[in-house]
Amino acid sequence: MALDHSRLLAASLTVALFGGVSCSTTNSDPATEPNPSSGTAPNAGMPATTPAAAVAAQDPQGLEAARRKALVEKYLEVGQRLRAEGKLDAAMMELLRAKELDENNEQVRNLIAAVSAEQGNPVGTALSFHDEQERLAQIQADRRRSAVNEKLQVARDQMASKNYAGAVDSLRLANLDIEVATEQDWGSLPAQVVSLKTEAEKKLDEQMRSKQEELSQQLATKLREEFEANQSRRRAQVDALLQQGQLAFANRRFTFARELSSKALELEPNNAVAIELQEASIKASRDDMADSYYNEKAREIRKMLEAMEELKVPQTDVLRMDPETWAKAVRRKDTNVGPETINPEDKALFERVRTEMVGRLTLTEENGDYIEVKNNLSRITGVPIIITPEAREVIGSESLKVVIELVNPISLENFLNHMVKRSTNLAWTVRHGAVVIGNKSQASGALESNTYDVRDLVFKRTQFLPPRIRDIPSDTDSGDTPRTGGEGEDKVAFVELDQLVSNIKEATDLKYWEGEGVDLKPEDQGYLVITCSREMHQRIRTVMEDMRRFATSVVTIDAKFLTVSRNFLQEVGVDFRGLGGAGNKGDVATLDDVTNGLINNSSRGLDNNGTADPAANPVSGAFYNDGGDGDVRARTENVFTDPVNSALSSNGGLTFGLTYLDDLQIAAILRAVQKSSNAELVNSQLLSVMDQERGHVAIINQTSFVRDFDVEVAQASFIADPKVDVIQDGLVLDVRPVIQQDRKYIILDLQPTVAELVQPIPTFTTSLGASTLPVTMQLPTLTVTSFATTAKVPDGGSVLLGGLRQMLQVDRKSSVPLLADLPLISFLFKLEGSVDESSSLMVMVRAWITDLHEFSQGK
C-alpha cells in the first residue's frame, strides 16, 4: 500500500505540473484584469485563485485524464526498469496496473506480452491484475509449505543424529510459520510438526538427564580423587610434623614439640601419636619450666646488673656519629671554588723548580744585573725563564740588582723568591712551560669571582648566664638577671665581618689587594664576594680553614664536686630514774618539791612537761623508807643540754633498765651508743662549650617558703596574707674557656658554687599588730661555697679547686660530784660522749679540646 501511495503522489505531482503548464498558456479572463481607472486591483482583499484550481473548476474531465496518463507513464517507466533488472514478477505487476488504467495502450500490451513470454507463459494467454495476484498468492503459499516441509525434514535429520535441541528449535520455527499464515490450508503438516516436536522434546529431556547424570558421575569422581589427594597430602603433613615434633622432644624443645603436635591434631584430630606427643610435651614442659624459669631469671638479673654497671659509667664522648653518616659528611666537597686545573707540563716544571739546586755563587751590584742573572740561571739549570716587558720596566725604573752570596746550594724556587722580593711589584709563576717573571697581576693569572659562606664565623653566639643560688630571695632583688639564669644581652661573634675581611687581606698579601681588578666585598647576610686569581683563592681557603679550626673547636669540661666526710659518735652513761608515777611498779615515789622549772629549774622541764609522766611529779630513781619519820628519794639524769653531734644522731644503741624492789627501791637505766659514718659524695657534670663562649651547668633544688605576711584589715578583723617565695640550692658551674694559639693550653674562667639549704627550714612565730592570732614565718639558712678563679690547664689536664675542710672534735662529760670520783662505782654516776667529725669539699675540673676538623680527618 505504501507503494501505491507513493505512486499516487507522484502522479498527482505530475498532473499538477502539467496543469500548471496548461494554465500558464490559457488566455486571461477579462474579468480578472485590473481596472486602470480605479487604481486598485480587482477582488482586493479576497484569496487569490490558482491557475490549476481554475482549470479544475472549468474542466474536471481533462484533469482526471491527465492523472491517468501520468500514472500509466510512471508504471511503464518502473516496469521497464524492473524488467531490465530481471525482476519479471515485479515488472509484470507494474504493467498490469498500467493496463487497468489504460487498456488500449499499445505499448503496455506489448510489454506485458514480452514479459509473459520471458516468464514462460504460453503465447496468447490473457492476463489480468487479479489473476496475477492470485497466481502470486499461490506461489507464496507453495513456498511457505515447502519451507515448513524443509524444516520438518531438517528436524528429522537432526533427530537421527541425536541433535534433539536443534530439532526442537527447527520444529519451533516451523510451527511459528504455520501460526503466522493461518489463512493458508496446511493440511496434515501442523499435526506432523506437533507430533515430531513432542517426540523431540521428550528425547531432549532424556538426553539432558543422561548428560546430567554423566556430569554428576564425573564430578563425584573428581571430588573423590581430590579428597583422596588431600587426605594423602594431610597424612604427609601430619607425618612430617610428628617427625619434627619427636626430634624437638628428643632435643628437649618441649614447647616447640607441643606446638607441632597441636598443628598435627588440627589436621588429624584422632591421631593417637599426636595426642601422646602433645601430652608428653606438656608434662615435660611443666617439669622443665622450673629450670627454665630459674635460668631465665638468672639471665634477666645478670642483664639488669650489667645495665646498672653501665649507668655508673656516664657517657663522656663529646661527639659520636654513625660511621656511614660521618663518612658521607666528610665526602662533601667545598663548593666555593672549583678544583684547580694545572697543565701537566707546568706541574712537572714547577716540581723541577722546587728540586733544581743553584750552586755557590756571589752576586754584587757590579755583576747582579737582572737580565744577566736570569740568563745565567737558565743556562745553569736548563729551566726556561722569561721576563715580561712590564717586569723589565719595573726593573729599569727601580734600578734593581740581585745581590746575594751563596755559601751552600739552594733551590731554584728560593733563588727566584729572593729575586722578586727585591721589589713589591714583581712576582714569578710557571705558565706554558716556562718560568715567567712579571708584575703582580701577570704572575697571578686570570681573575675569578667566587662567593664564600662565612656565616659560621660571624654568627653571634649567645652568652648564657648561670642561676643565682648564693643569695636568699628578698624584696631588694634587682631582677636584672633571672634567678633561674638566662641569656646575656650582648651576643658575641667569633669574628666580626669587617674584621674578617681585614684578617684575610693581612694574612694573604695587603699589597696584592691594592691591585687593579681584585676585590674583596662583604655582604650583610654573611657572605664574601671575592675576585682574585686562582692561586689567591687557594690561599684564602687555607686562611679560612685555619680560622674555622679555632671557631669550631669545642672545650669539654668535666667538673666533679667531691665531698668526703668521716664521722664518729660515742655516748655512754647511767641514769637513776623511773620509780613512781602512774603505772610503775613499787610504791609511788615522786619528788614533790621539785618543780618543772618555773621556780628553780631543777628538772629543766624534762619531767612533768617533758619526757616523764606528764600527770605526775618528777619521778625518783632511788627510794628508801624506814617506816619512821621520813624517807629518802633521789634521782640522777645526766642529760646534755645540747647535742654533742652535728652529723650523727645519738638515738639508738643500747638502753638497759634494772629495777630493784625492796625496802630500798632502785631503778637504773644504762644507755650506750657508738656510731661511725664514712661517705664520699661525687657530683659530676659534663659540659661542652665552644671556644670563648660562656656556659654553665646547674643542678638546682627549689623550695617554697613563707617569707613575710601582708596584713589586711576587713571589718575590724586582721587577715594575714602570706608572701611565698622560692629559694634555690644545689650546684652551679659557670665557665668560659679560651683556647691558646698553640692549642696546647686552655685558659678557664671558673666559678663553681655549692649551696646547701638547712632542712627543715627554721620558723619564727609572732603576732601582727592588734591581732592576737600568731603567724609563723620561715627563716631559711643557706650555706654557700663558691670559688671564682682563672686557671690555665693543658689540653686534657686537670685542676683541683677549693679543698674546704671542716672538722669537729667534741669530748663532753656530765657527772655527779664526789660520786663520780669514787673507785669502781664512778661509772654509775656520769655520762660521757665524744664526737669526731670531718668533711672536705673539693672541686676537680678536667678540660680537653675536641677539634672537629681533626675528628673529620680521623686523627
Side-chain angles (χ1 to χ4, degrees):
M1 298 299 295
L3 182 62
D4 295 341
H5 288 299
S6 63
R7 288 172 178 173
L8 289 175
L9 178 61
S12 301
L13 293 174
T14 305
V15 172
L17 179 61
F18 287 178
V21 173
S22 62
C23 291
S24 63
T25 57
T26 57
N27 295 327
S28 59
D29 191 355
T32 60
E33 294 181 357
N35 188 358
S37 62
S38 61
T40 57
N43 301 324
M46 301 298 291
T49 303
T50 60
V55 173
Q58 295 175 2
D59 190 8
Q61 297 292 336
L63 180 61
E64 181 65 23
R67 186 181 69 80
R68 286 177 175 271
K69 182 179 181 181
L71 290 175
V72 169
E73 291 178 356
K74 184 64 177 177
Y75 290 151
L76 282 174
E77 181 183 354
V78 175
Q80 290 175 356
R81 187 177 71 251
L82 292 174
R83 179 189 177 192
E85 294 175 358
K87 301 178 181 179
L88 300 178
D89 293 338
M92 181 61 73
M93 293 296 295
E94 297 295 325
L95 294 173
L96 289 176
R97 286 191 179 94
K99 183 181 178 183
E100 288 184 355
L101 295 176
D102 190 1
E103 295 181 357
N104 299 322
N105 192 314
E106 189 66 26
Q107 185 178 2
V108 173
R109 288 183 175 181
N110 293 335
L111 285 175
I112 291 174
V115 173
S116 178
E118 291 176 1
Q119 287 179 341
N121 294 326
V123 180
T125 303
L127 295 177
S128 65
F129 180 75
H130 179 71
D131 296 338
E132 186 64 20
Q133 288 291 332
E134 291 181 354
R135 187 181 68 82
L136 292 177
Q138 185 63 37
I139 293 172
Q140 186 69 21
D142 293 340
R143 287 178 179 175
R144 291 174 182 168
R145 188 178 292 106
S146 176
V148 171
N149 287 326
E150 183 179 356
K151 292 176 181 176
L152 191 62
Q153 185 61 39
V154 170
R156 290 192 182 98
D157 295 340
Q158 290 175 340
M159 290 180 65
S161 61
K162 297 183 178 181
N163 185 9
Y164 302 114
V168 170
D169 293 337
S170 299
L171 292 173
R172 285 177 180 173
L173 293 176
N175 192 22
L176 182 61
D177 292 341
I178 293 173
E179 291 178 355
V180 169
T182 57
E183 74 280 358
Q184 184 174 341
D185 184 13
W186 294 96
S188 61
L189 278 178
Q192 294 178 14
V193 170
V194 172
S195 176
L196 190 60
K197 180 182 176 184
T198 303
E199 183 181 358
E201 289 177 349
K202 181 179 179 181
K203 290 186 178 182
L204 178 62
D205 293 340
E206 293 176 357
Q207 187 182 37
M208 294 296 294
R209 285 195 297 271
S210 177
K211 287 184 178 180
Q212 187 65 34
E213 291 177 358
E214 184 179 357
L215 289 174
S216 300
Q217 291 178 1
Q218 292 178 358
L219 182 60
T221 303
K222 183 177 180 180
L223 291 175
R224 185 169 57 254
E225 292 176 354
E226 291 180 356
F227 177 76
E228 292 176 356
N230 291 333
Q231 287 292 104
S232 301
R233 185 165 55 254
R234 186 181 296 107
R235 284 194 220 95
Q237 291 179 356
V238 170
D239 294 341
L241 290 172
L242 291 178
Q243 290 178 3
Q244 295 179 6
Q246 292 174 359
L247 181 61
F249 188 87
N251 294 330
R252 301 183 63 82
R253 301 172 61 190
F254 304 118
T255 303
F256 186 50
R258 183 178 59 187
E259 293 176 357
L260 293 175
S261 61
S262 299
K263 291 181 180 179
L265 287 175
E266 290 177 0
L267 297 175
E268 192 172 344
N270 298 325
N271 192 295
V273 178
I275 294 173
E276 183 178 358
L277 178 61
Q278 187 182 37
E279 293 177 353
S281 300
I282 293 174
K283 182 178 180 181
S285 178
R286 290 175 179 173
D287 296 339
D288 189 60
M289 188 170 295
D291 295 339
S292 300
Y293 175 78
Y294 293 137
N295 294 333
E296 184 66 24
K297 284 299 180 182
R299 286 193 293 269
E300 291 181 0
I301 293 173
R302 185 169 62 253
K303 290 181 180 179
M304 291 174 61
L305 293 176
E306 292 175 355
M308 292 175 64
E309 290 298 328
E310 290 181 359
L311 291 177
K312 293 180 181 179
V313 180
Q315 177 67 35
T316 57
D317 292 344
V318 178
L319 181 62
R320 174 175 290 183
M321 189 178 294
D322 180 72
E324 296 181 358
T325 304
W326 184 252
K328 181 180 178 181
V330 172
R331 286 195 300 269
R332 295 194 185 103
K333 299 298 183 181
D334 186 8
T335 58
N336 287 331
V337 181
E340 184 178 1
T341 57
I342 301 177
N343 190 347
E345 183 180 357
D346 293 346
K347 185 176 181 181
L349 181 59
F350 190 77
E351 187 65 26
R352 184 179 175 186
V353 171
R354 288 180 177 178
T355 57
E356 190 72 30
M357 304 301 293
V358 178
R360 299 179 181 179
L361 57 86
T362 300
L363 299 176
T364 61
E365 292 287 343
E366 288 76 13
N367 61 352
D369 183 70
Y370 255 77
I371 306 301
E372 294 296 330
V373 172
K374 183 268 296 182
N375 294 334
N376 293 333
L377 284 177
S378 298
R379 186 170 52 255
I380 295 172
T381 60
V383 175
I385 302 175
I386 301 173
I387 299 179
T388 63
E390 291 79 6
R392 292 177 183 269
E393 292 180 3
V394 173
I395 295 171
S397 62
E398 298 181 5
S399 302
L400 298 180
K401 300 289 184 177
V402 181
V403 179
I404 189 173
E405 183 177 358
L406 295 180
V407 179
N408 295 315
I410 63 174
S411 64
L412 179 58
E413 179 184 10
N414 293 333
F415 195 92
L416 292 174
N417 290 334
H418 175 74
M419 290 180 63
V420 298
K421 284 182 180 179
R422 305 294 293 177
S423 174
T424 57
N425 294 323
L426 293 179
W428 70 274
T429 187
V430 175
R431 189 180 303 140
H432 306 302
V435 175
V436 179
I437 300 177
N439 56 22
K440 291 282 187 178
S441 60
Q442 290 175 339
S444 62
L447 300 180
E448 297 180 0
S449 295
N450 289 299
T451 303
Y452 291 82
D453 187 355
V454 294
R455 290 177 295 175
D456 55 335
L457 296 176
V458 300
F459 175 75
K460 293 186 179 298
R461 304 171 183 176
T462 304
Q463 303 296 313
F464 296 97
L465 305 179
R468 294 187 291 112
I469 63 173
R470 294 185 299 177
D471 302 324
I472 296 177
S474 64
D475 292 332
T476 59
D477 289 344
S478 61
D480 295 338
T481 302
R483 285 187 291 171
T484 57
E487 299 180 359
E489 295 181 357
D490 298 331
K491 296 184 178 181
V492 180
F494 177 79
V495 60
E496 297 294 338
L497 189 59
D498 296 337
Q499 186 64 35
L500 177 62
V501 173
S502 301
N503 292 344
I504 292 176
K505 290 182 178 180
E506 293 175 0
T508 52
D509 189 353
L510 273 176
K511 192 68 176 178
Y512 174 83
W513 296 104
E514 297 175 359
E516 194 174 329
V518 296
D519 187 19
L520 198 161
K521 181 172 63 175
E523 299 289 341
D524 294 339
Q525 292 80 9
Y527 293 90
L528 293 179
V529 180
I530 303 177
T531 303
C532 60
S533 65
R534 184 179 296 272
E535 180 183 356
M536 184 57 67
H537 277 299
Q538 183 64 31
R539 295 173 64 181
I540 292 173
R541 289 202 305 271
T542 303
V543 171
M544 296 181 65
E545 183 178 0
D546 292 339
M547 296 183 69
R548 283 192 171 94
R549 288 188 61 187
F550 284 91
T552 58
S553 297
V554 176
V555 178
T556 303
I557 300 167
D558 184 7
K560 291 182 173 61
F561 292 80
L562 178 63
T563 303
V564 180
S565 61
R566 300 288 185 267
N567 304 313
F568 175 79
L569 168 68
Q570 179 176 323
E571 186 175 327
V572 180
V574 176
D575 293 338
F576 289 95
R577 58 189 173 92
L579 291 177
N584 291 316
K585 292 182 179 181
D587 299 332
V588 176
T590 59
L591 302 178
D592 299 326
D593 58 343
V594 178
T595 67
N596 61 0
L598 297 180
I599 299 177
N600 52 16
N601 198 25
S602 59
S603 64
R604 300 197 304 276
L606 299 177
D607 290 293
N608 299 88
N609 296 330
T611 58
D613 187 0
N617 296 321
V619 298
S620 62
F623 174 68
Y624 177 74
N625 187 358
D626 59 355
D629 296 335
D631 55 27
V632 177
R633 304 177 185 185
R635 67 175 279 129
T636 63
E637 187 172 2
N638 301 314
V639 180
F640 294 153
T641 304
D642 300 323
V644 298
N645 60 297
S646 62
L648 298 176
S649 172
S650 59
N651 297 330
L654 172 66
T655 301
F656 177 77
L658 175 64
T659 302
Y660 175 78
L661 299 177
D662 202 348
D663 292 339
L664 176 63
Q665 300 176 8
I666 300 176
I669 298 176
L670 171 65
R671 297 181 63 254
V673 59
Q674 179 176 324
K675 293 182 179 181
S676 64
S677 123
N678 298 324
E680 293 183 2
L681 177 61
V682 178
N683 197 317
S684 178
Q685 294 88 28
L686 196 65
L687 176 64
S688 294
V689 186
M690 297 193 71
D691 185 21
Q692 300 184 19
E693 272 196 23
R694 185 179 181 184
H696 68 272
V697 60
I699 302 175
I700 301 297
N701 300 320
Q702 292 186 340
T703 305
S704 301
F705 72 101
V706 178
R707 178 165 57 87
D708 198 355
F709 287 88
D710 287 335
V711 180
E712 297 181 2
V713 180
Q715 296 180 357
S717 62
F718 297 91
I719 300 174
D721 185 14
K723 291 183 179 180
V724 180
D725 209 334
V726 176
I727 188 171
Q728 299 183 140
D729 67 326
L731 304 176
V732 175
L733 176 63
D734 185 14
V735 63
R736 180 176 179 269
V738 177
I739 302 175
Q740 287 196 338
Q741 76 282 357
D742 56 1
R743 304 179 67 81
K744 295 181 181 179
Y745 292 91
I746 307 171
I747 299 176
L748 298 175
D749 285 339
L750 295 170
Q751 188 173 357
T753 303
V754 180
E756 297 180 359
L757 179 65
V758 176
Q759 297 280 4
I761 300 177
T763 60
F764 172 73
T765 303
T766 183
S767 60
L768 299 176
S771 176
T772 58
L773 297 177
V775 294
T776 302
M777 293 184 293
Q778 293 177 300
L779 304 177
T781 301
L782 192 65
T783 303
V784 179
T785 303
S786 179
F787 307 96
T789 184
T790 300
K792 181 178 179 180
V793 297
D795 182 16
S798 302
V799 60
L800 183 64
L801 304 176
L804 178 63
R805 303 186 64 185
Q806 294 180 350
M807 299 186 66
L808 174 63
Q809 289 184 345
V810 177
D811 290 326
R812 186 175 291 185
K813 178 179 178 182
S814 177
S815 61
V816 179
L818 300 179
L819 295 179
D821 298 331
L822 297 176
L824 299 179
I825 64 173
S826 61
F827 172 76
L828 302 176
F829 301 98
K830 64 182 177 180
L831 173 64
E832 294 180 341
S834 62
V835 173
D836 187 1
E837 298 178 354
S838 65
S839 64
S840 178
L841 174 63
M842 295 173 288
V843 181
M844 185 174 64
V845 179
R846 176 173 173 260
W848 65 92
I849 303 172
T850 301
D851 193 334
L852 300 181
H853 178 77
E854 294 180 357
F855 191 86
S856 65
Q857 301 298 329
K859 297 180 182 179

